[in-house]
Amino acid sequence: MGRRKIKMEQVQDTNTKQVTFSKRRLGLFKKASELATLCNAEIGIVVFSPGNKPYSFGKPNFDLIAERFKSEFEESDSFETSGYNSRGSRARQDKKICKCLNSINEEAEAEKKHGEDLHMWLESAEEDRFSKPIEEFTLEDLKEFEARMKRVQGGIQINLNNMHASSSLLVLSTDVSM
C-alpha cells in the first residue's frame, strides 16, 4: 500500500497504537542520530510507551547527556523545590544567563574584529599580487587565493557553529528556568 496522510489525533486501537509508537519512536531516534551526526550535537531523548515502558536514545551516550543536564540545572532546581526564596534562585539563574550572554557578545566582538583584521589584510598593499584584476592572476595565484579563502571560510563556519551552539544553550537555559 504506499504512504498516505495520517490525521493527527490519538489512536484508539491498542494494537495500532503500539505499532504506531514503535515505528515513530524508531523514526524519532533515527532523526536524532542524523542531527547528532550532521551537527556534532550531543542528544538525549526519553520516550515512554503507551504501556509506560521507557525507551532512551543518546549520542554519544544517554547517561552522559542525562548527567550533564542534571548537573547543569541541579542547583537551580534544588533551590526552587526545597522551599528557598524562589526570587533568589531566579536571580542566580538570571546572573548565569547574563554571564553567558556577555560571553557570547565578547566572542562575537572578537570575531568581528578578527574579520575586520582579515579584511584589512586582504586589502593591504603588502599583498600586491592579489590587488590586480582577476584576469591577470596566474593559475598558481588563483589556487593560493582559493586556499586562503577556504581557510577563512572554515574559520568563520567553526565560529558560527560555536555561536549557534551557545545561543541554543542559552535559549534552553532560559526555557528551563521559567
Side-chain angles (χ1 to χ4, degrees), residues 3-4 7 12 19 35 43 56 65 76 82 88 102-103 114 116 130 138 145 161-163 167 173:
R3 293 183 184 207
R4 56 187 169 157
K7 239 192 238 184
Q12 299 302 323
V19 169
L35 178 64
I43 297 176
S56 63
I65 303 296
S76 65
S82 63
N102 288 337
S103 172
H114 184 66
E116 289 169 355
F130 293 125
T138 65
F145 188 73
N161 290 344
N162 289 340
M163 289 171 64
S167 65
S173 71

Side-chain angles (χ1 to χ4, degrees), residues 40-177:
N40 197 26
E42 294 180 0
I43 297 176
I45 300 174
V46 177
V47 181
F48 287 89
S49 71
N52 259 353
K53 183 176 179 186
Y55 294 89
S56 63
F57 171 84
K59 201 159 190 177
N61 176 328
F62 180 78
D63 293 332
L64 279 170
I65 303 296
E67 188 60 39
R68 182 173 164 198
F69 183 81
K70 182 181 171 193
S71 67
E72 287 279 330
F73 299 104
E74 194 171 58
E75 182 181 313
S76 65
D77 287 346
S78 68
F79 280 112
E80 289 174 12
T81 58
S82 63
Y84 287 108
N85 184 353
S86 126
R87 280 189 187 177
S89 175
R90 177 63 185 213
R92 280 187 290 281
Q93 190 68 20
D94 287 348
K95 270 188 178 180
K96 191 175 181 181
I97 291 169
C98 286
K99 187 176 179 181
C100 192
L101 267 176
N102 288 337
S103 172
I104 291 170
N105 284 334
E106 288 172 8
E107 283 182 37
E109 286 299 318
E111 287 307 313
K112 184 177 177 183
K113 184 179 179 346
H114 184 66
E116 289 169 355
D117 291 346
L118 285 174
H119 184 71
M120 287 177 59
W121 173 75
L122 285 173
E123 290 182 345
S124 71
E126 182 177 301
E127 292 292 317
D128 187 43
R129 66 179 167 182
F130 293 125
S131 63
K132 59 187 174 185
I134 197 162
E135 293 82 17
E136 296 177 16
F137 279 18
T138 65
L139 182 59
E140 184 179 307
D141 289 340
L142 287 171
K143 286 181 178 179
E144 184 180 340
F145 188 73
E146 178 186 29
R148 286 183 180 188
M149 292 300 108
K150 284 184 178 180
R151 282 194 305 270
V152 168
Q153 180 187 21
I156 290 170
Q157 189 62 48
I158 287 169
N159 292 323
L160 182 64
N161 290 344
N162 289 340
M163 289 171 64
H164 281 300
S166 295
S167 65
S168 296
L169 285 173
L170 182 63
V171 168
L172 283 173
S173 71
T174 56
D175 288 346
V176 169
S177 68

